[in-house]
């Protein structure tokens, strides 16, 4: 589950934008994807530019909607154990966009793609537990007018987060046995940083009536434990990627770890998860064009580690900010 903590975005924003970025702006984006709170001064030193030039580029990227800087959370560490990708078929006489828009209104939905293939929609949901997931399926997703069927693929693990840098899930190096305990103050701090990841700790401290040191210390803990990080989230089309796809992967008799390793080595892999259901893995591929996607699928299908690979090309995309805290 990505739990992409991003600003509310209407359908079509992610794939239909057309923005030309300079090499310098791309360098600024990369710096903020690594650390969304990197200072203007540090970026200026790293990029051999003036602080004024960096500040201007950041403001331009934010104001144009190319990127936003926000707090990104890892749901399992916050107690969310009922996460799944739900593959939906839409009744033939219904509008895909209308059904997608209705599903996107569901509180647990954080990411939704209209796709080609045997399913019409893929819907990421974030629930507290399997009981809440069942309730979401039975009482919220399946009753939506136009939904013909909904097949859930519960997430089992998230072994990979790729390097193309547009899927900002935090994947910690270790998984604690129990979720991290958050105080109300922790929640308030993260909420402020979700709205604007570059808000100063001083401003947050003043708003909450605590010291700046307390804010800094609490964020240091949450970051170290992998529950939260501050990062730039970027519209992939502005970086030159105009083809995205889910791929449902069957491993056959191959070891799951071996197949996972092979999939993560694909240059286009941005995210891979193990799931329950008729697929063993779900992977998201981010490609420059259809030709690159075709080449990546060929690499999968000719590998002895893959028994089957079913692609679902994105036609449209919706993501929104979830309040997980």
């Amino acid at each position: 589950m990505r739990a992409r903590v991003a600003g509310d975005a209407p359908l079509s924003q992610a794939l239909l934008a057309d923005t030309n970025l300079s090499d310098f702006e791309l360098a600024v984006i990369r710096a903020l994807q690594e650390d969304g709170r990197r200072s203007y001064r540090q970026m200026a030193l790293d990029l051999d530019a003036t602080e004024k030039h960096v500040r201007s580029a950041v403001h331009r990227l934010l104001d144009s909607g190319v990127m936003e800087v926000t707090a990104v959370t890892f749901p399992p560490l916050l107690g969310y154990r009922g996460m799944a990708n739900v593959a939906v078929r839409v009744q033939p006489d219904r509008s895909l966009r209308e059904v997608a828009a209705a599903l996107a209104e569901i509180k647990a939905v954080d990411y939704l793609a209209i796709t080609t293939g045997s399913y019409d929609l893929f819907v990421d949901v974030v629930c507290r537990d399997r009981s809440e997931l069942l309730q979401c399926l039975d009482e919220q997703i399946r009753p939506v007018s136009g939904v013909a069927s909904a097949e859930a693929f519960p997430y089992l693990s998230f072994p990979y987060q790729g390097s193309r840098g547009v899927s900002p899930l935090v994947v910690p190096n270790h998984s604690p046995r129990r979720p991290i305990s958050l105080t109300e103050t922790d929640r308030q701090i993260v909420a402020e940083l979700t709205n604007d990841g570059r808000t100063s700790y001083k401003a947050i401290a003043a708003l909450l009536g605590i010291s700046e040191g307390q804010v800094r210390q609490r964020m240091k803990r949450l970051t170290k434990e992998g529950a939260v990080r501050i990062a730039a989230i970027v519209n992939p089309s502005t970086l030159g990627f105009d083809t995205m796809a889910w791929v449902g992967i069957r491993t056959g008799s191959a070891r799951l770890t071996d197949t996972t390793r092979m999939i993560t080595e694909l240059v286009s892999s941005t995210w891979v998860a193990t799931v329950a259901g008729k697929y063993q893995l779900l992977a998201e591929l981010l490609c420059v064009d259809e030709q690159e996607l075709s080449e990546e699928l060929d690499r999968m299908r000719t590998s002895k580690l893959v028994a089957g690979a079913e692609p679902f090309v994105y036609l449209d995309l919706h993501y929104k900010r979830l309040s997980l805290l």
Side-chain angles (χ1 to χ4, degrees):
M1 170 62 58
R2 260 75 51 85
R4 291 170 184 254
V5 186
D8 295 341
L11 293 169
S12 300
Q13 175 174 316
L15 298 184
L16 302 184
D18 183 14
T19 305
N20 293 319
L21 299 179
S22 67
D23 289 342
F24 182 74
E25 287 172 324
L26 290 172
V28 169
I29 288 172
R30 284 192 291 270
L32 291 174
Q33 285 179 327
E34 293 173 1
D35 178 6
R37 293 191 63 81
R38 185 169 294 176
S39 69
Y40 295 121
R41 182 174 181 274
Q42 185 60 54
M43 282 191 285
L45 291 172
D46 294 341
L47 302 177
D48 192 24
T50 65
E51 188 173 334
K52 180 180 179 180
H53 192 193
V54 172
R55 188 183 299 271
S56 177
V58 171
H59 288 173
R60 185 164 60 252
L61 291 166
L62 292 172
D63 292 344
S64 66
V66 169
M67 75 171 186
E68 68 171 309
V69 181
T70 185
V72 182
T73 55
F74 185 56
L77 288 183
L78 299 176
Y80 289 81
R81 303 295 182 181
M83 302 174 293
N85 194 312
V86 182
V88 174
R89 291 189 176 98
V90 174
Q91 294 172 359
D93 61 340
R94 296 302 303 271
S95 162
L96 295 179
R97 289 179 181 273
E98 289 179 1
V99 175
L103 289 170
E105 292 297 316
I106 296 172
K107 182 179 179 181
V109 171
D110 82 308
Y111 188 79
L112 182 152
I114 299 176
T115 66
T116 63
S118 57
Y119 298 107
D120 298 306
L121 307 170
F122 277 84
V123 184
D124 265 356
V125 295
V126 183
C127 300
R128 283 285 182 186
D129 51 34
R130 295 290 166 83
S131 176
E132 187 174 291
L133 173 59
L134 176 59
Q135 182 181 34
C136 179
L137 288 168
D138 269 353
E139 300 178 15
Q140 299 179 65
I141 292 178
R142 289 195 170 106
V144 168
S145 178
V147 170
S149 67
E151 183 176 354
F153 299 102
Y155 291 110
L156 304 179
S157 68
F158 311 96
Y160 179 72
Q161 179 68 23
S163 60
R164 284 195 163 176
V166 297
S167 302
L169 171 69
V170 179
V171 180
N173 294 326
H174 63 284
S175 297
R177 294 182 179 179
R178 62 185 62 185
I180 293 171
S181 176
L182 298 180
T183 67
E184 181 59 30
T185 300
D186 292 332
R187 298 174 192 276
Q188 291 174 334
I189 291 171
V190 176
E192 292 301 318
L193 291 170
T194 298
N195 292 328
D196 180 0
R198 293 186 65 81
T199 299
S200 72
Y201 288 155
K202 182 178 181 180
I204 295 175
L207 180 66
L208 301 183
I210 59 179
S211 71
E212 183 178 351
Q214 284 181 287
V215 176
R216 193 176 303 278
Q217 184 178 24
R218 289 170 183 269
M219 278 303 300
K220 183 177 180 180
R221 166 183 170 257
L222 293 175
T223 302
K224 182 179 180 180
E225 293 184 340
V228 179
R229 75 179 174 96
I230 309 300
I233 299 176
V234 187
N235 181 327
S237 67
T238 65
L239 300 180
F241 304 108
D242 68 2
T243 302
M244 299 177 69
W246 278 115
V247 183
I249 299 164
R250 299 181 181 91
T251 59
S253 60
R255 291 192 353 167
L256 184 59
T257 53
D258 293 336
T259 306
T260 301
R261 186 179 304 110
M262 186 277 292
I263 298 300
T264 62
E265 290 173 353
L266 296 175
V267 67
S268 65
S269 290
T270 62
W271 181 82
V272 179
T274 62
V275 295
K278 69 177 181 180
Y279 307 118
Q280 285 74 59
L281 293 170
L282 280 178
E284 184 182 62
L285 304 186
L286 179 60
C287 300
V288 173
D289 52 26
E290 290 84 355
Q291 179 63 33
E292 185 182 37
L293 174 60
S294 178
E295 292 169 355
E296 295 288 71
L297 290 172
D298 278 346
R299 292 186 181 96
M300 287 188 195
R301 287 165 172 162
T302 56
S303 171
K304 295 179 181 180
L305 299 174
V306 174
E310 186 175 1
F312 304 91
V313 179
Y314 289 19
L315 299 177
D316 216 340
L317 177 66
H318 179 97
Y319 59 88
K320 67 184 179 183
R321 177 184 291 120
L322 284 184
S323 178
L324 296 180
L325 302 176

